[in-house]
Amino acid sequence: MGDMGDPPKKKRLISLCVGCGNQIHDQYILRVSPDLEWHAACLKCAECNQYLDETCTCFVRDGKTYCKRDYIRLYGIKCAKCSIGFSKNDFVMRARAKVYHIECFRCVACSRQLIPGDEFALREDGLFCRADHDVVERASLGAGDPLSPLHPARPLQMAAEPISARQPALRPHVHKQPEKTTRVRTVLNEKQLHTLRTCYAANPRPDALMKEQLVEMTGLSPRVIRVWFQNKRCKDKKRSIMMKQLQQQQPNDKT
């Protein structure tokens, strides 16, 4: 209790901008997962200076922020042959840790495209089909005899089927986690549910200011509130579609 018997006011947490280090007094705060907060004017791409608001995908690496285009250009996986990145619709070929476009998966000696089932060798100077690999190995041994044994340290591999570039192994990762973590399920009490349902009835798509107020009123994280509204809208949409289907089915049943 205060000096006059009034209950103490809840102190608002101080938000410091990661970019400039100053306190944020703006009406809106841009928050980058998990808990980095920025002025709207400070959150920019370190390469192209594009402002990164809630409509953009923001990537953080070594303390710098990047737009999606520049992050993929700088840190995304590229073809080991042509050094060009992959689109989400591309199919690729793998050779150990290297990734190739299907049309770039060729022998560097004879330029023959390697297809699934072909044997090849990945050397320091590129991919070799089996025939050219045998020639290079014998030449490196200095024998020149066609019956000379191959070097045992360079085993041949068999080309596998192409895989999609959209698989998780090719996506750029901002934060690497050493172990797989299990997300704890959030359980809401009756008071929190009542507050969220009341707000949803007034506006199913609350703005950033309303979400910030809900964080203070319910004590929930912004992620939990965002996911709850998304799930609620999805359930209502499914229920509306089901009701329309039932209404259309009733006249048909009568007929």
Side-chain angles (χ1 to χ4, degrees), residues 98-116:
K98 295 186 177 182
V99 187
Y100 298 81
H101 293 105
I102 293 179
E103 59 274 13
C104 294
F105 199 66
R106 298 175 179 272
C107 173
V108 296
C110 64
S111 298
R112 181 173 70 86
Q113 184 173 357
L114 302 173
I115 61 175

Side-chain angles (χ1 to χ4, degrees), residues 104-235:
C104 294
F105 199 66
R106 298 175 179 272
C107 173
V108 296
C110 64
S111 298
R112 181 173 70 86
Q113 184 173 357
L114 302 173
I115 61 175
D118 286 347
E119 288 185 309
F120 69 93
L122 179 62
R123 303 169 59 93
E124 292 79 1
D125 45 352
L127 289 171
F128 286 84
C129 64
R130 175 166 187 154
D132 290 314
H133 168 66
D134 293 351
V135 173
V136 174
E137 282 292 289
R138 291 189 180 101
S140 63
L141 292 175
D145 184 359
L147 298 180
S148 298
L150 296 182
H151 199 286
R154 296 184 184 275
L156 291 169
Q157 304 177 55
M158 183 174 292
E161 293 291 332
I163 61 175
S164 173
R166 300 183 66 180
Q167 289 192 358
L170 292 182
R171 293 179 181 174
H173 293 277
V174 181
H175 301 287
K176 294 184 179 180
Q177 297 181 352
E179 298 180 357
K180 184 178 180 180
T181 58
T182 302
R183 179 172 291 174
V184 180
R185 182 180 178 88
T186 302
V187 180
L188 309 182
N189 57 39
E190 290 297 328
K191 184 177 179 181
Q192 291 170 334
L193 282 174
H194 176 73
T195 304
L196 294 175
R197 288 169 180 167
T198 302
C199 179
Y200 182 87
N203 183 7
R205 296 181 179 275
D207 56 13
L209 181 59
M210 178 59 68
K211 290 180 181 178
E212 185 178 350
Q213 293 175 353
L214 287 174
V215 170
E216 296 182 356
M217 294 170 62
T218 61
L220 300 172
S221 67
R223 183 190 65 81
V224 172
I225 292 176
R226 182 181 70 255
V227 172
W228 187 90
F229 273 89
Q230 291 175 349
N231 293 340
K232 179 67 173 173
R233 290 195 298 267
C234 183
K235 290 179 181 178

Side-chain angles (χ1 to χ4, degrees), residues 45-64:
C45 175
E47 287 290 313
C48 64
N49 289 326
Q50 173 191 349
Y51 287 101
L52 305 174
D53 54 16
E54 67 277 3
T55 63
C56 302
T57 302
C58 179
F59 291 81
V60 181
R61 188 183 179 104
D62 299 331
K64 297 181 180 180

